[in-house]
Amino acid sequence: MRRGEVVDERQVEGLGRVTVRVLDPDADLDTLHAWVTARGTQFWGLGELTREELRETYAFVDSLPTHHAYLVLRDDEPVALLQAYDPAHDPVGECYEVRPGDLGVHLLVGARGRPTAGFSTRLLGALLGFLRDQPGARRIVAEPDVRNDRALARMARTGFVAGPVVDLPHKRAQLAFLTLPTTVPTTLPTTLETA
């Protein structure tokens, strides 16, 4: 995949066009830096990095065949950072028994654009569709910081099943798993909200 390449695009009722494209650590640096240093994103763990350190971090991610970073756009406006990775090639894979088809995921909603009822629910539905379509993907693995109550509650409402609490190099994390259905419904529970 090339930097900036569009890898998924779908029309989402009530939201508009949702596009997933490969993150470009150079071209997307201003957006990325604004998001990871914004109030409320401390659990992402990148707020203390300089702009150059952040660029280098995502250039490194871009160089890995097992880790991918994507910029998510809503009608051409950036709204989220999505990372997907193979847990067998990540420190989290040392903390649980990795299964074939496991797909590790991180999501940072950085902007919402125009006010829209159910924004987070609709966006998450589109992203679950994208993740489900990844070759071989059967189960999403998440590992939020155990102190991130909002993320933990959101995952429970989405259907994730809590696994063990584990110590990773940079945080104490709650593992959670979501088996991907063959199809993703066009709407998720209306109580689902993301940060």
Side-chain angles (χ1 to χ4, degrees):
M1 291 183 291
R2 295 180 328 274
R3 292 178 178 186
E5 177 183 352
V6 172
V7 293
D8 189 70
E9 190 167 274
R10 56 189 72 212
Q11 198 67 29
V12 179
E13 185 178 339
L15 194 60
R17 189 177 71 257
V18 175
T19 305
V20 179
R21 68 168 175 78
V22 177
L23 182 78
D24 183 326
D26 296 309
D28 299 325
L29 184 59
D30 289 341
T31 298
L32 194 57
H33 188 261
W35 288 352
V36 301
T37 58
R39 197 174 68 115
T41 62
Q42 69 275 13
F43 295 118
W44 196 256
L46 300 176
E48 300 300 318
L49 297 182
T50 66
R51 290 173 52 81
E52 183 57 26
E53 289 168 335
L54 186 63
R55 192 200 66 71
E56 288 173 4
T57 297
Y58 280 96
F60 175 71
V61 170
D62 185 53
S63 75
L64 300 173
T66 57
H67 290 61
H68 308 287
Y70 304 100
L71 192 68
V72 181
L73 300 101
R74 174 190 186 192
D75 293 332
D76 299 321
E77 294 296 322
V79 293
L81 172 66
L82 175 68
Q83 290 180 221
Y85 63 93
D86 181 347
H89 298 277
D90 191 85
V92 74
E94 298 172 15
C95 300
Y96 82 101
E97 189 174 333
V98 178
R99 293 184 192 170
D102 279 359
L103 181 63
V105 173
H106 301 289
L107 175 65
L108 173 64
V109 177
R112 294 176 186 269
R114 67 185 181 282
T116 302
F119 168 84
S120 299
T121 300
R122 296 171 196 275
L123 181 65
L124 188 54
L127 296 179
L128 285 176
F130 166 66
L131 295 168
R132 181 206 61 224
D133 293 345
Q134 298 308 296
R138 296 183 192 157
R139 183 172 73 155
I140 295 176
V141 180
E143 32 112 340
D145 191 295
V146 294
R147 299 167 298 165
N148 192 342
D149 296 332
R150 290 184 70 192
L152 296 172
R154 178 183 333 113
M155 288 189 322
R157 289 190 306 267
T158 308
F160 278 83
V161 175
V165 172
V166 298
D167 290 313
L168 295 173
H170 55 287
K171 66 182 176 185
R172 188 163 179 80
Q174 171 68 64
L175 289 183
F177 305 92
L178 177 68
T179 299
L180 290 167
T182 305
T183 60
V184 174
T186 55
T187 59
L188 296 171
T190 56
T191 57
L192 178 65
E193 286 299 319
T194 59

